[in-house]
Every structure is written in structure tokens, then in C-alpha cells.
């Protein structure tokens, strides 16, 4: 997505979730390598959230396309899954089937992403030479140029499913205001990260499933690593996540959406990186009133 800031596709929730999202390009960058998407499903009873971070180096000079395809294909695959999660609801007899489908989803997304990359490379070879049948003439497709990470989540009032390939963060803020990072692998991986351009990337995708036995959490937040890198330490990033959740409860979700791009612009000045954030907040009377989206 290009431009200083591009809001995610949002829809005011009529049921359980209100959604926000924005992305900004890094300081001094010509255009952003990040992408994001959000979708409200089943009259707001489910939310689909996703972000992707194109690698952006000279070796990955088409990664803006790769990140865009990543969020588009994840959203396309996750929408039907989200409807099924809503349908199953609290019926525990259907949870085994949901978990099996959740395990298949990364491979579906990766195959669809690869098909788009191969088609694009066939029509416009990254090597600059003609692409001939059997890979002759152009050295075979070079999908590394499209390399991108991917984080996605499907959220209902009953459960959370999330998937992650590469860097970035997903934070669940519970009813006590405590942040949890269910897919964290510890310290930042630096310049090396898992990618959709690798062979069989679904095998490296981390997954998490969590039923909400005591009610849905106030917020689930996803961001590319440009946000967490803007803080002096990881605790500062977690404090930001809880602060955003508190702001949504106190001032309303529309107020968070209105200020989000400014917050990300400030973060991008510190990290120097493209910065993207999407979030779903449990809909309350306070969160739903206020100015229009």
C-alpha cells in the first residue's frame, strides 16, 4: 500500500467486534512494503485480521506485491473459516473439525500466494529475460523477489485462531489489562525471517488456538515489526498495546481509529520502518458511540 497512511478495510461491528487499522511507510522510503486487511464477518460476530511485511531489500524488490497478495489470500481463505467458527460456536463437538481446518489453512494460503507470484513472474520475469516452458531462458521463477511475512487471526466471542510466518507481533489483552503474546518466539530475529517465498512455508507457520471460557478479551492486536522496533524494549511495546485497549474503552473505538495513523507515523520515525497495525475490540456501548468511522 502506498501513501503516508492507508486505513485498513474496516466495518463498524453490529455484534461482537469493532475493528481498526492503518499502515504508514517508513521514513525516507519511496513506498511501503507493508499491507493489511480487516474484515467483519457474520454481522460483526467474527473478525478477520491480517498484516504482512514485504522484505523490502534489493533482493526482494517486488515484496510490496508479495505482502499485498499475502493479506488478500489470507482474507479470502479465512472468511469462510470465520463463518464456520461462528456456526460451531460453543458446540465442543465441532472444535476438533475447526482445529483440523485451521491446520490446513496455511497451506491453502501459501499455494494461492505462490500461484499469483508464478503468474506475475511468468508475465514479467524478475530476471528480465523471457520465461519459457520448463524454466528455460530465464533461469526459473525467482519468488524471493516477492518475499513477505504474514500474520493473521480469526476471532469470535468464543475463540481465537491465529497464524504467523516470520516477524511481527500479535497481542491479546485480557479482561485484567494483561497483554499476552501467544505466538512470540522471543527476541527479534533481526534481518532473517521466515517467508512465503520459501519452499513449503506452511511448515514454518506458527499457529495458536484458544477458546474463551470466561468471555472474549477486550482486544486482539496485530502489527508488523516496525511498531515493536520503535520502542526501547519489549515492555514498552506491550504498554502501548494495553494503552490502546484502555483508550478504546475510555474514549471509544472511533477515537482510536482517528488517532492511529498519527501514532504509527511517530513510531515509524523511531524505527525507520514501515509500520502497520490492525485490531479488534470487543464491542461495548462506550466503544460503539462517538464519531462516525
Amino acid at each position: 500500500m502506498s501513501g503516508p497512511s492507508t486505513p485498513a478495510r474496516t466495518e463498524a461491528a453490529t455484534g461482537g467486534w469493532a475493528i481498526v487499522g492503518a499502515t504508514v511507510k517508513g521514513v525516507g522510503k519511496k513506498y511501503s512494503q507493508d499491507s493489511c486487511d480487516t474484515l467483519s464477518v457474520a454481522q460483526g460476530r467474527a473478525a478477520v485480521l491480517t498484516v504482512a511485511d514485504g522484505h523490502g531489500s534489493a533482493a526482494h524488490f517486488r515484496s510490496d506485491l508479495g505482502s499485498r497478495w499475502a493479506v488478500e489470500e489470507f482474507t479470502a481463505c479465512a472468511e469462510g473459516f470465520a463463518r464456520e467458527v461462528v456456526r460451531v460456536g460453543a458446540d465442543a463437538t465441532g472444535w476438533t473439525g475447526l482445529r483440523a481446518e485451521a491446520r490446513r489453512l496455511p497451506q491453502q494460503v501459501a499455494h494461492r500466494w505462490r500461484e499469483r507470484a508464478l503468474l506475475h513472474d511468468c508475465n514479467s520475469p524478475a530476471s528480465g529475460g523471457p520465461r519459457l516452458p520448463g524454466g528455460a531462458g530465464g533461469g526459473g521463477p525467482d519468488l524471493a523477489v516477492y518475499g513477505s511475512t504474514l500474520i493473521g487471526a480469526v476471532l469470535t466471542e468464543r475463540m481465537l485462531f491465529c497464524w504467523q510466518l516470520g516477524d511481527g507481533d500479535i497481542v491479546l489483552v485480557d479482561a485484567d489489562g494483561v497483554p499476552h503474546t501467544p505466538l512470540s518466539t522471543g527476541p527479534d530475529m533481526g534481518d532473517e525471517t521466515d517467508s512465503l517465498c520459501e519452499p513449503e512455508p506452511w511448515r514454518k507457520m506458527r499457529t495458536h488456538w484458544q477458546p474463551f471460557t470466561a468471555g472474549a478479551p477486550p482486544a486482539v492486536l496485530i502489527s508488523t515489526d516496525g511498531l515493536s522496533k520503535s520502542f526501547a524494549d519489549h515492555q514498552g511495546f506491550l504498554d502501548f498495546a494495553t494503552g490502546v485497549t484502555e483508550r478504546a474503552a475510555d474514549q471509544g473505538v472511533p477515537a482510536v481509529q482517528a488517532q492511529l495513523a498519527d501514532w504509527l507515523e511517530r513510531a515509524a520515525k523511531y524505527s525507520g520502518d514501515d509500520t502497520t497495525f490492525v485490531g479488534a475490540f470487543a464491542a461495548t456501548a462506550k466503544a460503539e458511540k462517538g464519531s462516525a468511522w
Side-chain angles (χ1 to χ4, degrees):
M1 297 184 181
S2 59
S5 66
T6 307
R9 180 160 53 103
T10 62
E11 177 182 330
T14 59
W17 300 98
I19 299 171
V20 303
T23 181
V24 303
K25 69 182 181 68
V27 176
K29 291 194 173 185
K30 187 175 182 180
Y31 54 90
S32 175
Q33 303 289 333
D34 280 5
S35 298
C36 64
D37 200 1
T38 66
L39 184 65
S40 180
V41 178
Q43 291 74 53
R45 296 171 64 194
V48 176
L49 310 173
T50 181
V51 304
D53 183 355
H55 302 330
S57 69
H60 308 287
F61 61 90
R62 291 178 173 175
S63 63
D64 59 319
L65 296 175
S67 69
R68 189 181 77 201
W69 299 335
V71 301
E72 289 176 352
E73 298 307 331
F74 177 85
T75 302
C77 291
E79 180 177 2
F81 177 69
R83 296 186 188 280
E84 181 65 8
V85 176
V86 170
R87 188 193 68 80
V88 170
D91 182 5
T93 62
W95 291 0
T96 298
L98 288 178
R99 294 178 71 182
E101 188 173 347
R103 287 192 292 270
R104 291 191 293 268
L105 188 140
Q107 189 169 2
Q108 295 168 0
V109 174
H111 280 318
R112 291 171 63 125
W113 182 90
R114 181 177 176 84
E115 287 175 0
R116 293 187 70 171
L118 287 172
L119 178 61
H120 188 274
D121 187 74
C122 182
N123 291 321
S124 180
S127 63
R131 179 76 66 234
L132 300 177
D142 181 11
L143 300 190
V145 300
Y146 303 100
S148 175
T149 67
L150 175 64
I151 310 178
V154 169
L155 177 65
T156 73
E157 63 180 357
R158 301 286 184 180
M159 61 190 69
L160 167 70
F161 291 88
C162 49
W163 301 260
Q164 180 166 355
L165 180 72
D167 51 29
D169 300 275
I170 179 165
V171 182
L172 184 156
V173 181
D174 67 22
D176 295 322
V178 179
H180 304 270
T181 53
L183 292 176
S184 175
T185 57
D188 189 278
M189 293 182 285
D191 293 333
E192 297 297 324
T193 187
D194 295 327
S195 173
L196 281 166
C197 69
E198 298 175 14
E200 300 185 342
W202 60 88
R203 298 189 185 279
K204 294 184 177 181
M205 191 169 289
R206 310 189 301 276
T207 62
H208 175 77
W209 169 73
Q210 180 175 341
F212 301 137
T213 57
V220 173
L221 314 171
I222 303 179
S223 56
T224 57
D225 69 334
L227 181 57
S228 60
K229 289 193 301 187
S230 70
F231 293 91
D233 54 33
H234 189 60
Q235 186 59 50
F237 167 69
L238 296 179
D239 291 343
F240 172 83
T242 56
V244 169
T245 305
E246 291 169 357
R247 185 74 63 93
D250 294 341
Q251 299 183 10
V253 176
V256 170
Q257 179 64 62
Q259 299 172 78
L260 184 55
D262 289 339
W263 295 340
L264 299 186
E265 290 276 10
R266 193 176 310 134
K269 290 179 181 179
Y270 284 97
S271 70
D273 200 2
D274 305 326
T275 305
T276 300
F277 176 99
V278 297
F281 299 90
T284 64
K286 178 67 176 178
E288 290 179 342
K289 73 179 182 180
S291 60
W293 292 87

